[in-house]
């Protein structure tokens, strides 16, 4: 099993993945509501778009399955801290030399570009929750030749 570094979202630059903290200084306030805009925008490859709540639980950070989509996905993490893996593809297979597991706390928005290999996050603690907004699309999955295991130091 190959080791992959777990890195905080602020300390990593992942090709095809964009991170932003949702800043409440831009919150619009009125008498009975507030609205805080999210900074990352997404162009959808279809008009059929879905939004859902994704909940994840604690699990050993080991990943072997990767998925891609023909359209971008946007996530907003609002509870707990998630560990989400990303890599690049080379010749149609996951290039594990590029694998990284990103630590994403509540309050962070993530945009995954179309075609970027990733997989569903796990919780660093007991549980995480996020909103997932994406085109109604299949997930093309590939199983890597070996698994990666997340570690905090190599």
């Amino acid at each position: 099993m190959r080791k992959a570094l777990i890195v905080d979202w602020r300390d990593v630059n992942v090709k095809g993945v964009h991170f932003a903290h949702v800043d409440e200084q831009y919150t619009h306030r009125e008498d009975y509501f507030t609205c805080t805009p999210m900074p990352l925008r997404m162009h959808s490859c279809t008009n059929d778009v879905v939004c859902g709540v994704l909940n994840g639980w604690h699990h050993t950070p080991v990943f072997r399955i990767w998925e891609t989509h023909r359209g971008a996905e946007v996530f907003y993490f609002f509870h707990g801290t998630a560990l989400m893996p990303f890599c690049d593809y080379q010749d149609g297979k996951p290039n594990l030399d590029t694998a990284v597991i990103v630590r994403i706390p509540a309050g962070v928005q993530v945009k995954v570009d179309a075609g970027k290999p990733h997989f569903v996050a796990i919780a660093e603690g007991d549980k995480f929750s996020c909103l997932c907004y994406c085109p109604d699309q299949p997930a093309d999955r590939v199983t890597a030749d070996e698994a990666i295991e997340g570690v905090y130091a190599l």
Side-chain angles (χ1 to χ4, degrees):
M1 185 173 324
R2 190 179 296 218
K3 304 292 185 200
L5 196 58
I6 296 173
V7 183
D8 191 75
W9 71 276
R10 289 186 198 119
D11 301 328
V12 68
N13 183 11
V14 180
K15 182 176 76 177
V17 182
H18 314 272
F19 301 94
H21 186 264
V22 176
D23 193 339
E24 295 200 12
Q25 78 175 1
Y26 299 109
T27 297
H28 175 80
R29 300 181 195 298
E30 292 195 19
D31 293 341
Y32 58 91
F33 72 90
T34 64
C35 181
T36 303
M38 295 186 189
L40 299 178
R41 302 291 186 253
M42 175 185 95
H43 262 305
S44 181
C45 60
T46 175
N47 288 334
D48 295 325
V49 177
V50 295
C51 183
V53 176
L54 174 63
N55 295 300
W57 290 270
H58 183 74
H59 190 275
T60 305
V62 172
F63 301 92
R64 189 167 182 190
I65 298 172
W66 299 88
E67 68 181 28
T68 61
H69 307 282
R70 64 182 176 89
E73 292 183 295
V74 173
F75 301 89
Y76 174 67
F77 293 83
F78 63 88
H79 175 79
T81 299
L83 302 175
M84 191 168 187
F86 301 95
C87 75
D88 293 332
Y89 273 2
Q90 183 176 349
D91 300 323
K93 294 175 131 185
N95 178 355
L96 298 183
D97 291 336
T98 66
V100 63
I101 299 172
V102 180
R103 185 174 181 274
I104 307 166
V108 173
Q109 183 186 19
V110 178
K111 177 185 164 199
V112 180
D113 287 347
K116 178 64 179 177
H118 64 287
F119 200 67
V120 178
I122 61 165
E124 182 178 55
D126 291 334
K127 179 184 176 184
F128 82 88
S129 297
C130 71
L131 292 175
C132 177
Y133 177 86
C134 63
D136 189 4
Q137 61 188 347
D140 295 321
R141 291 187 174 185
V142 173
T143 301
D145 292 337
E146 68 180 308
I148 62 164
E149 177 182 18
V151 295
Y152 290 95
L154 293 176

